[in-house]
Amino acid sequence: MASTSSGQDSVVVDGLVNYIKSAGLFDQFRRDCLADVDTKPAYQNLRQRVEGYVSNFLSQHTWSPNLNKNQLRDSLRRQINQSEMLSTGVERIVEQVVEPQIQHVFRPQIEKAFNEYVEKKKGDAESRKDEELPNKTEEISVPMVTSEKVESTCKSELSALPTSTGSCLLVMFC
């Protein structure tokens, strides 16, 4: 994973990620992936495993009016997370739902957004230069932004999402 070589690069990457977000691409990717997820075998398998785990867990406890449901729920959640059943299941879901779309659907849209962003930045820079120096023309440079820089910033943005969508999208862009 390459780190940004200068503050200017990180500003460009952050700007690009914000541009992609404001264009609604992340939301579109999420909708597209989630619309498909319940039809995939990995999801159905994970659902069955979780339901079986929950049924088994609950069969070991006797219900009573004094039962602390919050403690029981927290205990179940902790055990499921410790079993790593969810993480491996989510990885398989991502393999079946997201990975097939990365090269043919997501990448062209990200590249198009990148080109729009660069053109917008060039136009903004030209406008500022025209206002400052109306009789001079200069070449406008845009720092080189690698996919690793965008990927790194996307990871940090996606990791801030709630676990259910964040982990799925985080794996999608990694």
Side-chain angles (χ1 to χ4, degrees), residues 1-5 13 146-156 170 173-174:
M1 186 73 44
S3 63
T4 57
S5 60
V13 171
T146 64
S147 62
E148 289 84 12
K149 293 174 186 174
V150 174
E151 180 180 316
S152 172
T153 304
C154 287
K155 282 182 184 179
S156 66
L170 181 60
F173 287 106
C174 299

PDB file of all heavy atoms in Angstrom, residues 1-5 13 146-156 170 173-174:
ATOM      1  N   MET A   1       0.842  -1.170   0.000  1.00  0.00           N
ATOM      2  CA  MET A   1       0.000   0.000   0.000  1.00  0.00           C
ATOM      3  C   MET A   1       0.884   1.229   0.000  1.00  0.00           C
ATOM      4  O   MET A   1       1.683   1.422   0.888  1.00  0.00           O
ATOM      5  CB  MET A   1      -0.890  -0.039   1.250  1.00  0.00           C
ATOM      6  CG  MET A   1      -1.929   1.056   1.329  1.00  0.00           C
ATOM      7  SD  MET A   1      -3.333   0.903   0.229  1.00  0.00           S
ATOM      8  CE  MET A   1      -3.756  -0.789   0.381  1.00  0.00           C
ATOM      9  N   ALA A   2       0.753   2.066  -1.003  1.00  0.00           N
ATOM     10  CA  ALA A   2       1.563   3.271  -1.069  1.00  0.00           C
ATOM     11  C   ALA A   2       0.918   4.364  -0.242  1.00  0.00           C
ATOM     12  O   ALA A   2      -0.288   4.536  -0.250  1.00  0.00           O
ATOM     13  CB  ALA A   2       1.687   3.727  -2.525  1.00  0.00           C
ATOM     14  N   SER A   3       1.753   5.077   0.476  1.00  0.00           N
ATOM     15  CA  SER A   3       1.232   6.208   1.218  1.00  0.00           C
ATOM     16  C   SER A   3       1.402   7.454   0.372  1.00  0.00           C
ATOM     17  O   SER A   3       2.186   7.490  -0.566  1.00  0.00           O
ATOM     18  CB  SER A   3       1.961   6.355   2.554  1.00  0.00           C
ATOM     19  OG  SER A   3       3.324   6.613   2.309  1.00  0.00           O
ATOM     20  N   THR A   4       0.657   8.503   0.702  1.00  0.00           N
ATOM     21  CA  THR A   4       0.753   9.721  -0.081  1.00  0.00           C
ATOM     22  C   THR A   4       2.106  10.359   0.132  1.00  0.00           C
ATOM     23  O   THR A   4       2.640  10.370   1.222  1.00  0.00           O
ATOM     24  CB  THR A   4      -0.367  10.704   0.291  1.00  0.00           C
ATOM     25  OG1 THR A   4      -0.276  10.972   1.690  1.00  0.00           O
ATOM     26  CG2 THR A   4      -1.724  10.148  -0.049  1.00  0.00           C
ATOM     27  N   SER A   5       2.680  10.874  -0.943  1.00  0.00           N
ATOM     28  CA  SER A   5       4.022  11.427  -0.861  1.00  0.00           C
ATOM     29  C   SER A   5       4.022  12.885  -0.426  1.00  0.00           C
ATOM     30  O   SER A   5       5.034  13.408  -0.025  1.00  0.00           O
ATOM     31  CB  SER A   5       4.737  11.287  -2.196  1.00  0.00           C
ATOM     32  OG  SER A   5       4.020  11.977  -3.201  1.00  0.00           O
ATOM     33  N   VAL A  13      -6.670  13.345  -3.226  1.00  0.00           N
ATOM     34  CA  VAL A  13      -7.368  12.083  -2.966  1.00  0.00           C
ATOM     35  C   VAL A  13      -8.626  12.354  -2.144  1.00  0.00           C
ATOM     36  O   VAL A  13      -9.707  11.841  -2.467  1.00  0.00           O
ATOM     37  CB  VAL A  13      -6.443  11.065  -2.255  1.00  0.00           C
ATOM     38  CG1 VAL A  13      -7.230   9.852  -1.801  1.00  0.00           C
ATOM     39  CG2 VAL A  13      -5.321  10.641  -3.183  1.00  0.00           C
ATOM     40  N   THR A 146      -2.582   7.823  -7.550  1.00  0.00           N
ATOM     41  CA  THR A 146      -2.609   6.407  -7.877  1.00  0.00           C
ATOM     42  C   THR A 146      -3.834   5.758  -7.285  1.00  0.00           C
ATOM     43  O   THR A 146      -4.455   6.276  -6.364  1.00  0.00           O
ATOM     44  CB  THR A 146      -1.361   5.690  -7.325  1.00  0.00           C
ATOM     45  OG1 THR A 146      -1.390   5.772  -5.906  1.00  0.00           O
ATOM     46  CG2 THR A 146      -0.091   6.315  -7.864  1.00  0.00           C
ATOM     47  N   SER A 147      -4.182   4.599  -7.806  1.00  0.00           N
ATOM     48  CA  SER A 147      -5.329   3.873  -7.274  1.00  0.00           C
ATOM     49  C   SER A 147      -5.090   3.467  -5.825  1.00  0.00           C
ATOM     50  O   SER A 147      -6.028   3.363  -5.046  1.00  0.00           O
ATOM     51  CB  SER A 147      -5.638   2.649  -8.134  1.00  0.00           C
ATOM     52  OG  SER A 147      -4.546   1.760  -8.120  1.00  0.00           O
ATOM     53  N   GLU A 148      -3.824   3.293  -5.444  1.00  0.00           N
ATOM     54  CA  GLU A 148      -3.515   2.932  -4.058  1.00  0.00           C
ATOM     55  C   GLU A 148      -3.878   4.069  -3.111  1.00  0.00           C
ATOM     56  O   GLU A 148      -4.365   3.850  -2.013  1.00  0.00           O
ATOM     57  CB  GLU A 148      -2.033   2.565  -3.882  1.00  0.00           C
ATOM     58  CG  GLU A 148      -1.632   1.242  -4.501  1.00  0.00           C
ATOM     59  CD  GLU A 148      -1.314   1.348  -5.987  1.00  0.00           C
ATOM     60  OE1 GLU A 148      -1.173   2.477  -6.516  1.00  0.00           O
ATOM     61  OE2 GLU A 148      -1.227   0.297  -6.642  1.00  0.00           O
ATOM     62  N   LYS A 149      -3.645   5.308  -3.548  1.00  0.00           N
ATOM     63  CA  LYS A 149      -3.982   6.465  -2.717  1.00  0.00           C
ATOM     64  C   LYS A 149      -5.493   6.574  -2.540  1.00  0.00           C
ATOM     65  O   LYS A 149      -5.980   6.818  -1.444  1.00  0.00           O
ATOM     66  CB  LYS A 149      -3.431   7.740  -3.338  1.00  0.00           C
ATOM     67  CG  LYS A 149      -1.927   7.807  -3.349  1.00  0.00           C
ATOM     68  CD  LYS A 149      -1.440   9.026  -4.094  1.00  0.00           C
ATOM     69  CE  LYS A 149       0.073   9.005  -4.226  1.00  0.00           C
ATOM     70  NZ  LYS A 149       0.547  10.106  -5.060  1.00  0.00           N
ATOM     71  N   VAL A 150      -6.225   6.400  -3.631  1.00  0.00           N
ATOM     72  CA  VAL A 150      -7.682   6.452  -3.549  1.00  0.00           C
ATOM     73  C   VAL A 150      -8.180   5.294  -2.697  1.00  0.00           C
ATOM     74  O   VAL A 150      -9.056   5.452  -1.850  1.00  0.00           O
ATOM     75  CB  VAL A 150      -8.313   6.413  -4.960  1.00  0.00           C
ATOM     76  CG1 VAL A 150      -9.816   6.316  -4.878  1.00  0.00           C
ATOM     77  CG2 VAL A 150      -7.895   7.645  -5.751  1.00  0.00           C
ATOM     78  N   GLU A 151      -7.611   4.102  -2.901  1.00  0.00           N
ATOM     79  CA  GLU A 151      -8.007   2.921  -2.142  1.00  0.00           C
ATOM     80  C   GLU A 151      -7.792   3.133  -0.646  1.00  0.00           C
ATOM     81  O   GLU A 151      -8.653   2.828   0.166  1.00  0.00           O
ATOM     82  CB  GLU A 151      -7.196   1.721  -2.628  1.00  0.00           C
ATOM     83  CG  GLU A 151      -7.511   0.428  -1.934  1.00  0.00           C
ATOM     84  CD  GLU A 151      -6.662  -0.696  -2.477  1.00  0.00           C
ATOM     85  OE1 GLU A 151      -6.511  -0.800  -3.701  1.00  0.00           O
ATOM     86  OE2 GLU A 151      -6.162  -1.476  -1.656  1.00  0.00           O
ATOM     87  N   SER A 152      -6.659   3.691  -0.288  1.00  0.00           N
ATOM     88  CA  SER A 152      -6.349   3.944   1.112  1.00  0.00           C
ATOM     89  C   SER A 152      -7.355   4.899   1.730  1.00  0.00           C
ATOM     90  O   SER A 152      -7.857   4.677   2.825  1.00  0.00           O
ATOM     91  CB  SER A 152      -4.938   4.496   1.224  1.00  0.00           C
ATOM     92  OG  SER A 152      -4.678   4.906   2.537  1.00  0.00           O
ATOM     93  N   THR A 153      -7.672   5.962   1.010  1.00  0.00           N
ATOM     94  CA  THR A 153      -8.637   6.926   1.530  1.00  0.00           C
ATOM     95  C   THR A 153     -10.031   6.316   1.583  1.00  0.00           C
ATOM     96  O   THR A 153     -10.764   6.536   2.543  1.00  0.00           O
ATOM     97  CB  THR A 153      -8.632   8.199   0.659  1.00  0.00           C
ATOM     98  OG1 THR A 153      -7.309   8.704   0.615  1.00  0.00           O
ATOM     99  CG2 THR A 153      -9.560   9.244   1.218  1.00  0.00           C
ATOM    100  N   CYS A 154     -10.391   5.528   0.581  1.00  0.00           N
ATOM    101  CA  CYS A 154     -11.697   4.861   0.596  1.00  0.00           C
ATOM    102  C   CYS A 154     -11.813   3.933   1.797  1.00  0.00           C
ATOM    103  O   CYS A 154     -12.855   3.876   2.441  1.00  0.00           O
ATOM    104  CB  CYS A 154     -11.914   4.064  -0.689  1.00  0.00           C
ATOM    105  SG  CYS A 154     -12.250   5.090  -2.121  1.00  0.00           S
ATOM    106  N   LYS A 155     -10.736   3.203   2.099  1.00  0.00           N
ATOM    107  CA  LYS A 155     -10.763   2.302   3.247  1.00  0.00           C
ATOM    108  C   LYS A 155     -11.058   3.065   4.522  1.00  0.00           C
ATOM    109  O   LYS A 155     -11.879   2.642   5.326  1.00  0.00           O
ATOM    110  CB  LYS A 155      -9.428   1.575   3.394  1.00  0.00           C
ATOM    111  CG  LYS A 155      -9.229   0.453   2.451  1.00  0.00           C
ATOM    112  CD  LYS A 155      -7.900  -0.218   2.726  1.00  0.00           C
ATOM    113  CE  LYS A 155      -7.602  -1.293   1.732  1.00  0.00           C
ATOM    114  NZ  LYS A 155      -6.315  -1.925   1.978  1.00  0.00           N
ATOM    115  N   SER A 156     -10.394   4.209   4.699  1.00  0.00           N
ATOM    116  CA  SER A 156     -10.623   4.963   5.931  1.00  0.00           C
ATOM    117  C   SER A 156     -12.035   5.524   5.965  1.00  0.00           C
ATOM    118  O   SER A 156     -12.660   5.556   7.014  1.00  0.00           O
ATOM    119  CB  SER A 156      -9.586   6.076   6.093  1.00  0.00           C
ATOM    120  OG  SER A 156      -9.740   7.039   5.080  1.00  0.00           O
ATOM    121  N   LEU A 170     -16.032  -1.993   2.693  1.00  0.00           N
ATOM    122  CA  LEU A 170     -14.594  -1.938   2.931  1.00  0.00           C
ATOM    123  C   LEU A 170     -13.902  -3.060   2.168  1.00  0.00           C
ATOM    124  O   LEU A 170     -12.900  -2.850   1.503  1.00  0.00           O
ATOM    125  CB  LEU A 170     -14.295  -2.026   4.420  1.00  0.00           C
ATOM    126  CG  LEU A 170     -12.833  -1.957   4.824  1.00  0.00           C
ATOM    127  CD1 LEU A 170     -12.228  -0.635   4.359  1.00  0.00           C
ATOM    128  CD2 LEU A 170     -12.701  -2.074   6.308  1.00  0.00           C
ATOM    129  N   PHE A 173     -13.737  -2.468  -1.754  1.00  0.00           N
ATOM    130  CA  PHE A 173     -12.743  -1.582  -2.322  1.00  0.00           C
ATOM    131  C   PHE A 173     -11.331  -1.924  -1.932  1.00  0.00           C
ATOM    132  O   PHE A 173     -10.417  -1.201  -2.226  1.00  0.00           O
ATOM    133  CB  PHE A 173     -13.042  -0.127  -1.928  1.00  0.00           C
ATOM    134  CG  PHE A 173     -14.217   0.409  -2.671  1.00  0.00           C
ATOM    135  CD1 PHE A 173     -15.423   0.586  -2.032  1.00  0.00           C
ATOM    136  CD2 PHE A 173     -14.116   0.699  -4.008  1.00  0.00           C
ATOM    137  CE1 PHE A 173     -16.515   1.072  -2.727  1.00  0.00           C
ATOM    138  CE2 PHE A 173     -15.196   1.187  -4.702  1.00  0.00           C
ATOM    139  CZ  PHE A 173     -16.397   1.373  -4.068  1.00  0.00           C
ATOM    140  N   CYS A 174     -11.114  -3.037  -1.235  1.00  0.00           N
ATOM    141  CA  CYS A 174      -9.757  -3.390  -0.792  1.00  0.00           C
ATOM    142  C   CYS A 174      -9.148  -4.409  -1.707  1.00  0.00           C
ATOM    143  O   CYS A 174      -9.775  -5.143  -2.338  1.00  0.00           O
ATOM    144  CB  CYS A 174      -9.792  -3.924   0.625  1.00  0.00           C
ATOM    145  SG  CYS A 174     -10.427  -2.679   1.746  1.00  0.00           S
TER     146      CYS A 174
END
